[in-house]
Amino acid sequence: MPLNRRTFLESSVAVGAGAAVATGVAVAPAQAHGPGHRPAKRYSFTVMGTTDLHGNVFNWDYFTDKEFDDKAHNDVGLAKISTLVEEVRKAKGKRNTLLIDAGDTIQGTQLSYYYAKVDPITARRGPVHPMAQAMNAIGYDAAALGNHEFNYGIPVLRKFEEQCDFPLLGANALDAKTLRPAFPPYSMHRLRTPHGRDVRVAVLGLTNPGIAIWDKANVSGRMVFPGLEEQAAKWVPKLRSMGADVVVVSAHSGSSGTSSYGDQLPHIENAAGLVAEQVPGIDAILVGHAHTEIPEYRVRNKETGKDVVLSEPLKWGQRLTLFDFDLVWEKGRWVVEKVGAQVLNSNTVEEDPEIVGLLSDEHAKVVAYVNQVIGTSTATMATVEAPWKDEPIIDLINHVQAETVRAALAGGEYAALPVLSQASCFSRTAAIPAGQVTIRDAAGLYVFENTLEARVLTGAQIKDYLEFSARYYVQTPAGAPVDTAKLTNADGTPDYNYDAVYGVTYEIDIAKPAGSRIVNLSFGGGPIDPAARFVLAVNNYRASGGGAFPHVANAKQVWANSDEIRNTIIQWVKAKGSIDPGQFASVDWRLTREGVPVF
């Protein structure tokens, strides 16, 4: 559980081995010692960390146009984080703190989208990115690169890097030709102590090797991304030889040692725990990418036998990690005596008025942008039941994708092939209202910056694809009660890894075990031909191996588009003027048990 703010403040009279808050200098408490023995020199400091901010400055949801809230009543945004950071600095002394981030900063909200695409920071005399403005004002010391930093292309990332007053670190982001780091691998920080020699803290940045796949169009031939363990093993000894007393890794990689991308990903996606276990000389790792909350997780290093402390502060600015270090002076150098970690919850504080005032104009521009009316709808459509029913709102996404691919292939070699489409329910609260439709309504259907591709699959491969997708449902025997709250997300499968396929009809028998659930798969009124070829309109995440769906990543690509699917939907609504579900919606799939529909 995150540390309560009041408890934290009450316990911060002393920091680690002790802190003189009034002077901002950490000192050791008095210790008993015998005649002729001087007390050991000690020093304590704190490294604060955020991760997966994803364009969140304010506690605001641009898709609902209101204050952010969820079931756990989390808050989001750098304005909240700023308040927590200032409280920690006040309690522990600003000179005794560092503030770092573990990546995925410039993608995720309509605020970050606006300044990448609508009013881009790369334009001549373009604006300063709101995330750069906020992080500079808060006083970040370093940030690791996340995989989503590359979504808008390298020019946007380089411009963002230029606008930041702190380094963007990526020891395993290498120039493809020279194999030298394309970004600074590390940053070195000096903390002044009352005992003469400064404490030198090295921050090593590591990013996710999946970038090579997920953003292939942006990085292919320009950058390569070797494994985290390999690069950590190369750089940590160098940092120690350069005089680092403390080594902190900021890793945009989860701690589980797993990958959700099957054989498509040559290196482990979530490798932070393996880095801690296999690479000696690391004191702590700020973990990112997995969007989980880990207040403190200890991993024993195989070579040294010492614990490495890991912490992940959830996502979007919902938590702030604190690594508390206690050091002792031994044999002419500083030695880490103890490390502990905890997280603070940003819902315990108000937004920092300085950050709110700094970016109020940018916020207002984006609110006005997302509330632009782009068309009308003849009916209300919602995703609330889309995880277990074929709903018109998901058909809308699939219809737009299929129509877009069909038009792109017209007159070409693949024009005669039937076009199918896949789509997922990204949000169970998305809706298209009857009446006026705004940009935020349409964008809310597709909250990711995915782009559209077309891949050729056979009928047999489509069946395999659907069987894999149907793992999403918990096996429920015929006659047993069906509770929708417990029906989905089997084995932790997220909603975005359940695909409905448009253009075929089928049943999913949830009484059967995973792998043998697809029944009555048909195309054109008859059983699908296993050898027949189809074009699948598919997002680039899925096409690049995201979710490890079978066949699609190795299937022939016959078309690809660089525009976001979200924008394709917006432009389609603008062009049509009106959305009429009667023109595209139909019930093509349903859940059954022994032939009896569940709903």
Side-chain angles (χ1 to χ4, degrees):
M1 294 292 292
L3 187 68
N4 178 275
R5 170 172 164 261
R6 181 175 294 174
T7 304
F8 159 72
L9 291 174
E10 290 173 351
S11 66
S12 289
V13 176
V15 183
V21 177
T23 61
V25 178
V27 297
Q31 296 187 10
H33 54 276
H37 292 278
R38 293 181 180 178
K41 296 176 182 178
R42 284 186 161 83
Y43 175 71
S44 299
F45 70 96
T46 297
V47 176
M48 298 175 282
T50 55
T51 192
D52 295 276
L53 293 167
H54 283 289
N56 285 282
V57 172
F58 302 99
N59 189 44
W60 191 261
D61 186 339
Y62 292 97
F63 293 123
T64 61
D65 200 26
K66 60 185 180 182
E67 186 174 332
F68 176 88
D69 194 24
D70 62 12
K71 291 180 180 178
H73 300 298
N74 287 303
D75 287 346
V76 301
L78 279 169
K80 292 267 185 172
I81 289 295
S82 182
T83 301
L84 286 177
V85 166
E86 286 308 306
E87 289 186 349
V88 174
R89 286 172 174 163
K90 182 178 179 181
K92 304 198 174 190
K94 184 174 182 179
R95 292 183 179 182
N96 305 316
T97 65
L98 294 172
L99 175 60
I100 64 176
D101 183 79
D104 275 5
T105 303
I106 60 171
Q107 173 277 338
T109 63
Q110 286 291 282
L111 180 72
S112 53
Y113 177 83
Y114 185 89
Y115 287 98
K117 292 287 190 176
V118 181
D119 185 12
I121 61 174
T122 49
R124 189 174 178 223
R125 297 180 181 176
V128 177
H129 199 289
M131 295 301 287
Q133 291 192 58
M135 294 174 83
N136 289 342
I138 295 169
Y140 274 77
D141 294 288
L145 293 165
N147 52 286
H148 283 289
E149 259 66 84
F150 294 84
N151 285 175
Y152 297 120
I154 291 175
V156 169
L157 174 53
R158 288 298 191 192
K159 188 64 178 180
F160 175 70
E161 179 186 30
E162 177 187 315
Q163 293 177 342
C164 290
D165 294 340
F166 51 91
L168 299 184
L169 308 178
N172 62 327
L174 310 181
D175 181 275
K177 294 180 180 178
T178 66
L179 297 183
R180 294 176 178 173
F183 294 86
Y186 66 90
S187 57
M188 192 74 78
H189 309 269
R190 287 179 175 267
L191 299 177
R192 182 169 297 176
T193 78
H195 303 297
R197 207 191 98 171
D198 297 345
V199 170
R200 285 168 286 193
V201 182
V203 178
L204 178 68
L206 296 170
T207 193
N208 206 290
I211 295 166
I213 297 171
W214 311 324
D215 270 302
K216 182 178 180 180
N218 291 327
V219 301
S220 182
R222 303 179 70 179
M223 292 185 193
V224 294
F225 303 87
L228 282 81
E229 309 101 297
E230 170 193 330
Q231 293 301 303
K234 173 183 176 181
W235 283 101
V236 171
K238 289 185 178 182
L239 296 174
R240 290 293 184 180
S241 68
M242 293 165 59
D245 301 298
V246 179
V247 173
V248 177
V249 173
S250 184
H252 193 76
S253 180
S255 62
S256 64
T258 62
S259 176
S260 59
Y261 296 84
D263 296 335
Q264 295 299 310
L265 193 58
H267 302 285
I268 293 175
E269 176 188 358
N270 295 305
L274 294 174
V275 171
E277 180 183 77
Q278 297 175 13
V279 181
I282 298 170
D283 297 297
I285 301 179
L286 177 65
V287 178
H289 184 62
H291 290 201
T292 57
E293 181 176 347
I294 305 174
E296 183 185 86
Y297 173 48
R298 292 179 177 270
V299 175
R300 183 68 55 87
N301 184 267
K302 284 185 175 181
E303 183 173 324
T304 66
K306 295 180 179 179
D307 281 355
V308 181
V309 177
L310 286 69
S311 180
E312 183 174 5
L314 201 53
K315 63 183 187 296
W316 305 348
Q318 293 174 350
R319 304 287 186 272
L320 176 69
T321 279
L322 306 185
F323 290 107
D324 291 313
F325 292 87
D326 292 341
L327 277 60
V328 62
W329 182 264
E330 287 183 356
K331 298 178 181 178
R333 66 188 185 96
W334 288 109
V335 176
V336 175
E337 190 173 45
K338 187 173 70 172
V339 186
Q342 58 189 306
V343 294
L344 302 181
N345 194 328
S346 63
N347 71 7
T348 62
V349 296
E350 298 298 320
E351 292 186 324
D352 183 342
E354 180 184 345
I355 303 301
V356 172
L358 179 68
L359 292 165
S360 59
D361 289 347
E362 286 83 350
H363 174 69
K365 285 181 182 178
V366 176
V367 168
Y369 164 73
V370 299
N371 282 291
Q372 289 180 38
V373 175
I374 56 174
T376 60
S377 176
T378 62
T380 297
M381 297 179 285
T383 58
V384 64
E385 294 186 319
W388 54 87
K389 289 184 181 179
D390 186 351
E391 290 288 283
I393 197 166
I394 303 299
D395 287 343
L396 172 61
I397 299 172
N398 272 320
H399 179 72
V400 172
Q401 291 182 163
E403 189 176 277
T404 301
V405 167
R406 202 174 289 117
L409 298 179
E413 179 183 354
Y414 301 93
L417 294 183
V419 177
L420 312 179
S421 178
Q422 63 78 221
S424 304
C425 177
F426 292 138
S427 167
R428 297 192 184 194
T429 59
I432 297 291
Q436 291 186 335
V437 177
T438 64
I439 284 178
R440 67 179 174 86
D441 295 326
L445 297 184
Y446 221 103
V447 297
F448 297 107
E449 268 75 21
N450 295 340
T451 58
L452 189 60
E453 297 189 15
R455 302 273 179 136
V456 177
L457 279 78
T458 66
Q461 290 175 328
I462 292 294
K463 186 174 188 298
D464 288 346
Y465 189 100
L466 289 170
E467 288 284 11
F468 186 88
S469 184
R471 301 180 314 155
Y472 173 70
Y473 295 104
V474 174
Q475 188 173 1
T476 310
V482 175
D483 180 357
T484 56
K486 300 177 181 178
L487 177 62
T488 62
N489 308 103
D491 297 321
T493 303
D495 290 349
Y496 62 77
N497 273 344
Y498 170 66
D499 287 359
V501 173
Y502 178 85
V504 291
T505 60
Y506 56 98
E507 298 172 11
I508 301 173
D509 190 334
I510 60 172
K512 296 180 181 293
S516 58
R517 292 177 169 174
I518 301 302
V519 182
N520 298 327
L521 176 59
S522 302
F523 172 75
I528 198 166
D529 180 356
R533 294 196 305 161
F534 299 86
V535 172
L536 180 67
V538 59
N539 69 57
N540 69 306
Y541 170 81
R542 190 71 79 234
S544 65
F549 276 61
H551 308 304
V552 66
N554 294 319
K556 182 176 179 61
Q557 183 195 79
V558 295
W559 178 80
N561 187 13
S562 61
D563 204 10
E564 293 89 357
I565 293 171
R566 172 196 299 164
N567 201 41
T568 301
I569 295 170
I570 291 169
Q571 296 306 318
W572 185 91
V573 175
K574 282 184 175 180
K576 296 291 183 181
S578 177
I579 303 171
D580 180 2
Q583 296 180 356
F584 56 80
S586 59
V587 179
D588 296 325
W589 66 270
R590 56 170 48 91
L591 302 185
T592 61
R593 289 183 294 185
E594 298 179 355
V596 179
V598 176
F599 302 106

